[in-house]
Short mmCIF file of all heavy atoms in Angstrom, two decimals:
data_model
loop_
_atom_site.label_atom_id
_atom_site.label_comp_id
_atom_site.label_asym_id
_atom_site.label_seq_id
_atom_site.Cartn_x
_atom_site.Cartn_y
_atom_site.Cartn_z
N ILE G 23 -2.49 18.83 -1.26
CA ILE G 23 -3.54 18.10 -1.89
C ILE G 23 -3.07 16.66 -2.22
O ILE G 23 -1.90 16.52 -2.71
CB ILE G 23 -3.97 18.70 -3.24
CG1 ILE G 23 -4.39 20.23 -3.03
CG2 ILE G 23 -5.06 17.92 -3.89
CD1 ILE G 23 -5.64 20.41 -2.27
N GLY G 24 -3.83 15.72 -1.81
CA GLY G 24 -3.49 14.32 -2.10
C GLY G 24 -4.53 13.69 -3.03
O GLY G 24 -5.72 14.06 -3.04
N TRP G 25 -4.03 12.58 -3.77
CA TRP G 25 -4.91 11.74 -4.53
C TRP G 25 -4.83 10.37 -3.88
O TRP G 25 -3.79 9.87 -3.57
CB TRP G 25 -4.40 11.67 -5.99
CG TRP G 25 -4.75 12.76 -6.83
CD1 TRP G 25 -3.98 13.83 -7.30
CD2 TRP G 25 -6.05 12.96 -7.50
NE1 TRP G 25 -4.73 14.71 -8.04
CE2 TRP G 25 -6.00 14.18 -8.28
CE3 TRP G 25 -7.27 12.24 -7.52
CZ2 TRP G 25 -7.00 14.65 -9.00
CZ3 TRP G 25 -8.29 12.81 -8.21
CH2 TRP G 25 -8.12 13.99 -9.01
N PHE G 26 -6.02 9.80 -3.74
CA PHE G 26 -6.10 8.48 -3.10
C PHE G 26 -7.07 7.66 -3.98
O PHE G 26 -7.77 8.11 -4.84
CB PHE G 26 -6.80 8.61 -1.72
CG PHE G 26 -6.01 9.49 -0.81
CD1 PHE G 26 -6.11 10.84 -0.83
CD2 PHE G 26 -5.03 8.92 0.04
CE1 PHE G 26 -5.43 11.69 0.05
CE2 PHE G 26 -4.28 9.71 0.90
CZ PHE G 26 -4.50 11.07 0.90
N ARG G 27 -7.01 6.36 -3.81
CA ARG G 27 -7.89 5.47 -4.61
C ARG G 27 -8.34 4.31 -3.80
O ARG G 27 -7.72 3.84 -2.77
CB ARG G 27 -7.17 4.94 -5.91
CG ARG G 27 -6.04 4.07 -5.68
CD ARG G 27 -5.24 3.73 -6.99
NE ARG G 27 -4.14 2.86 -6.82
CZ ARG G 27 -3.25 2.59 -7.76
NH1 ARG G 27 -3.42 3.11 -9.00
NH2 ARG G 27 -2.26 1.78 -7.48
N GLN G 28 -9.51 3.76 -4.18
CA GLN G 28 -10.04 2.60 -3.45
C GLN G 28 -10.69 1.66 -4.49
O GLN G 28 -11.57 2.18 -5.16
CB GLN G 28 -11.00 2.94 -2.34
CG GLN G 28 -11.41 1.80 -1.49
CD GLN G 28 -12.08 2.32 -0.19
OE1 GLN G 28 -12.62 3.36 -0.13
NE2 GLN G 28 -11.99 1.38 0.75
N ALA G 29 -10.27 0.45 -4.52
CA ALA G 29 -10.87 -0.55 -5.38
C ALA G 29 -11.79 -1.47 -4.52
O ALA G 29 -11.71 -1.61 -3.29
CB ALA G 29 -9.80 -1.40 -6.09
N PRO G 30 -12.78 -2.05 -5.18
CA PRO G 30 -13.76 -2.91 -4.38
C PRO G 30 -13.03 -3.97 -3.58
O PRO G 30 -12.14 -4.69 -4.14
CB PRO G 30 -14.63 -3.52 -5.44
CG PRO G 30 -14.66 -2.49 -6.53
CD PRO G 30 -13.22 -1.95 -6.53
N GLY G 31 -13.36 -4.09 -2.33
CA GLY G 31 -12.79 -5.11 -1.40
C GLY G 31 -11.29 -4.76 -0.96
O GLY G 31 -10.67 -5.61 -0.30
N LYS G 32 -10.80 -3.63 -1.29
CA LYS G 32 -9.49 -3.23 -0.95
C LYS G 32 -9.48 -1.89 -0.09
O LYS G 32 -10.45 -1.20 -0.08
CB LYS G 32 -8.56 -2.95 -2.10
CG LYS G 32 -8.25 -4.10 -2.93
CD LYS G 32 -7.31 -3.90 -4.07
CE LYS G 32 -6.99 -5.12 -4.85
NZ LYS G 32 -6.04 -4.85 -5.97
N GLU G 33 -8.48 -1.74 0.75
CA GLU G 33 -8.36 -0.50 1.63
C GLU G 33 -8.06 0.74 0.71
O GLU G 33 -7.52 0.55 -0.39
CB GLU G 33 -7.29 -0.73 2.58
CG GLU G 33 -7.61 -1.75 3.66
CD GLU G 33 -6.56 -1.89 4.72
OE1 GLU G 33 -5.45 -1.41 4.52
OE2 GLU G 33 -6.85 -2.48 5.78
N ARG G 34 -8.42 1.80 1.20
CA ARG G 34 -8.10 3.06 0.58
C ARG G 34 -6.49 3.21 0.55
O ARG G 34 -5.73 3.00 1.51
CB ARG G 34 -8.64 4.34 1.18
CG ARG G 34 -8.44 5.64 0.51
CD ARG G 34 -9.26 6.74 1.16
NE ARG G 34 -10.67 6.48 0.97
CZ ARG G 34 -11.64 7.35 1.43
NH1 ARG G 34 -11.26 8.50 1.99
NH2 ARG G 34 -12.93 7.09 1.26
N GLU G 35 -5.96 3.67 -0.61
CA GLU G 35 -4.50 3.77 -0.76
C GLU G 35 -4.09 5.16 -1.25
O GLU G 35 -4.71 5.80 -2.11
CB GLU G 35 -4.09 2.79 -1.83
CG GLU G 35 -2.68 2.85 -2.27
CD GLU G 35 -2.31 1.98 -3.41
OE1 GLU G 35 -3.19 1.72 -4.31
OE2 GLU G 35 -1.18 1.39 -3.48
N GLY G 36 -3.11 5.66 -0.62
CA GLY G 36 -2.51 6.97 -1.07
C GLY G 36 -1.77 6.84 -2.39
O GLY G 36 -0.98 5.89 -2.47
N VAL G 37 -2.00 7.57 -3.34
CA VAL G 37 -1.47 7.51 -4.65
C VAL G 37 -0.36 8.53 -4.86
O VAL G 37 0.76 8.21 -5.25
CB VAL G 37 -2.46 7.58 -5.81
CG1 VAL G 37 -1.83 7.53 -7.16
CG2 VAL G 37 -3.53 6.47 -5.68
N SER G 38 -0.71 9.87 -4.61
CA SER G 38 0.28 10.86 -4.78
C SER G 38 -0.18 12.07 -3.98
O SER G 38 -1.42 12.20 -3.70
CB SER G 38 0.33 11.23 -6.28
OG SER G 38 1.24 12.29 -6.53
N CYS G 39 0.73 13.00 -3.64
CA CYS G 39 0.34 14.29 -3.05
C CYS G 39 1.31 15.37 -3.47
O CYS G 39 2.42 15.11 -3.91
CB CYS G 39 0.31 14.13 -1.50
SG CYS G 39 1.86 13.69 -0.71
N ILE G 40 0.76 16.54 -3.33
CA ILE G 40 1.58 17.69 -3.70
C ILE G 40 1.39 18.76 -2.63
O ILE G 40 0.29 19.09 -2.20
CB ILE G 40 1.22 18.28 -5.13
CG1 ILE G 40 2.16 19.40 -5.53
CG2 ILE G 40 -0.25 18.69 -5.20
CD1 ILE G 40 2.08 19.67 -7.07
N GLY G 41 2.54 19.29 -2.17
CA GLY G 41 2.50 20.25 -1.01
C GLY G 41 2.20 21.71 -1.47
O GLY G 41 2.24 22.05 -2.61
N SER G 42 1.82 22.43 -0.50
CA SER G 42 1.60 23.89 -0.76
C SER G 42 2.91 24.57 -1.08
O SER G 42 2.92 25.62 -1.66
CB SER G 42 0.89 24.55 0.45
OG SER G 42 1.74 24.40 1.58
N ARG G 43 4.00 24.12 -0.54
CA ARG G 43 5.28 24.66 -0.88
C ARG G 43 5.78 24.12 -2.23
O ARG G 43 5.50 22.93 -2.60
CB ARG G 43 6.33 24.26 0.21
CG ARG G 43 6.06 24.88 1.58
CD ARG G 43 7.15 24.56 2.52
NE ARG G 43 7.02 25.14 3.82
CZ ARG G 43 7.77 25.07 4.86
NH1 ARG G 43 8.97 24.35 4.63
NH2 ARG G 43 7.58 25.62 5.98
N VAL G 44 6.57 24.95 -2.88
CA VAL G 44 7.06 24.51 -4.15
C VAL G 44 7.98 23.32 -4.12
O VAL G 44 8.90 23.27 -3.32
CB VAL G 44 7.80 25.70 -4.89
CG1 VAL G 44 8.44 25.32 -6.23
CG2 VAL G 44 6.83 26.90 -5.01
N GLY G 45 7.75 22.37 -5.02
CA GLY G 45 8.73 21.21 -5.14
C GLY G 45 8.39 20.01 -4.26
O GLY G 45 9.16 18.99 -4.40
N ILE G 46 7.41 20.05 -3.50
CA ILE G 46 7.14 18.88 -2.67
C ILE G 46 6.08 17.99 -3.27
O ILE G 46 4.90 18.43 -3.42
CB ILE G 46 6.60 19.42 -1.21
CG1 ILE G 46 7.69 20.23 -0.48
CG2 ILE G 46 6.21 18.17 -0.39
CD1 ILE G 46 7.20 20.73 0.78
N THR G 47 6.49 16.85 -3.66
CA THR G 47 5.56 15.83 -4.24
C THR G 47 5.95 14.43 -3.71
O THR G 47 7.12 14.21 -3.28
CB THR G 47 5.60 15.87 -5.73
OG1 THR G 47 6.98 15.55 -6.20
CG2 THR G 47 5.17 17.14 -6.34
N ALA G 48 4.94 13.47 -3.76
CA ALA G 48 5.28 12.09 -3.32
C ALA G 48 4.39 11.17 -4.15
O ALA G 48 3.31 11.59 -4.65
CB ALA G 48 5.01 11.97 -1.92
N TYR G 49 4.87 9.97 -4.39
CA TYR G 49 4.15 8.98 -5.19
C TYR G 49 4.32 7.55 -4.46
O TYR G 49 5.32 7.27 -3.97
CB TYR G 49 4.62 8.76 -6.54
CG TYR G 49 4.57 10.14 -7.44
CD1 TYR G 49 5.62 11.03 -7.41
CD2 TYR G 49 3.46 10.35 -8.16
CE1 TYR G 49 5.52 12.23 -8.17
CE2 TYR G 49 3.35 11.57 -8.94
CZ TYR G 49 4.41 12.40 -8.91
OH TYR G 49 4.34 13.60 -9.66
N VAL G 50 3.28 6.88 -4.48
CA VAL G 50 3.37 5.44 -4.12
C VAL G 50 4.18 4.67 -5.05
O VAL G 50 4.15 4.99 -6.29
CB VAL G 50 1.93 4.81 -3.92
CG1 VAL G 50 1.23 4.63 -5.20
CG2 VAL G 50 2.03 3.56 -3.13
N ASN G 51 4.93 3.67 -4.71
CA ASN G 51 5.88 3.00 -5.56
C ASN G 51 5.20 2.43 -6.77
O ASN G 51 5.80 2.47 -7.91
CB ASN G 51 6.62 1.97 -4.84
CG ASN G 51 7.70 2.47 -3.90
OD1 ASN G 51 8.10 3.55 -4.00
ND2 ASN G 51 8.07 1.63 -2.95
N SER G 52 4.04 1.91 -6.72
CA SER G 52 3.40 1.23 -7.86
C SER G 52 2.98 2.19 -9.01
O SER G 52 2.79 1.69 -10.07
CB SER G 52 2.05 0.62 -7.33
OG SER G 52 1.19 1.51 -6.76
N VAL G 53 2.99 3.50 -8.72
CA VAL G 53 2.74 4.46 -9.82
C VAL G 53 3.84 5.30 -10.18
O VAL G 53 3.82 6.13 -11.17
CB VAL G 53 1.53 5.31 -9.52
CG1 VAL G 53 0.35 4.45 -9.05
CG2 VAL G 53 1.84 6.39 -8.52
N LYS G 54 4.93 5.21 -9.50
CA LYS G 54 6.13 6.04 -9.78
C LYS G 54 6.70 5.85 -11.13
O LYS G 54 6.89 4.73 -11.58
CB LYS G 54 7.26 5.77 -8.65
CG LYS G 54 8.43 6.82 -8.61
CD LYS G 54 9.25 6.50 -7.49
CE LYS G 54 8.52 6.70 -6.19
NZ LYS G 54 9.47 6.46 -4.98
N GLY G 55 6.85 6.93 -11.86
CA GLY G 55 7.35 6.92 -13.23
C GLY G 55 6.21 6.87 -14.21
O GLY G 55 6.41 7.04 -15.40
N ARG G 56 4.97 6.59 -13.76
CA ARG G 56 3.79 6.58 -14.66
C ARG G 56 2.80 7.71 -14.43
O ARG G 56 2.22 8.14 -15.36
CB ARG G 56 3.09 5.17 -14.51
CG ARG G 56 3.93 4.05 -14.75
CD ARG G 56 3.06 2.81 -14.83
NE ARG G 56 2.44 2.49 -13.48
CZ ARG G 56 1.11 2.40 -13.26
NH1 ARG G 56 0.20 2.55 -14.29
NH2 ARG G 56 0.64 2.12 -12.07
N PHE G 57 2.73 8.13 -13.18
CA PHE G 57 1.70 9.17 -12.79
C PHE G 57 2.57 10.41 -12.46
O PHE G 57 3.56 10.45 -11.99
CB PHE G 57 0.93 8.86 -11.53
CG PHE G 57 -0.09 7.67 -11.77
CD1 PHE G 57 -0.09 6.90 -12.97
CD2 PHE G 57 -1.02 7.40 -10.79
CE1 PHE G 57 -1.04 5.82 -13.09
CE2 PHE G 57 -1.96 6.42 -10.98
CZ PHE G 57 -2.03 5.69 -12.13
#
């Protein structure tokens, strides 16, 4: 499962994702430590 976001006038951006396997997660640098 992934979370994505899109602001007006900007391209869609990947924010975070979590894998079906235990322990697999990822974050875009701009939200790391906050989300």
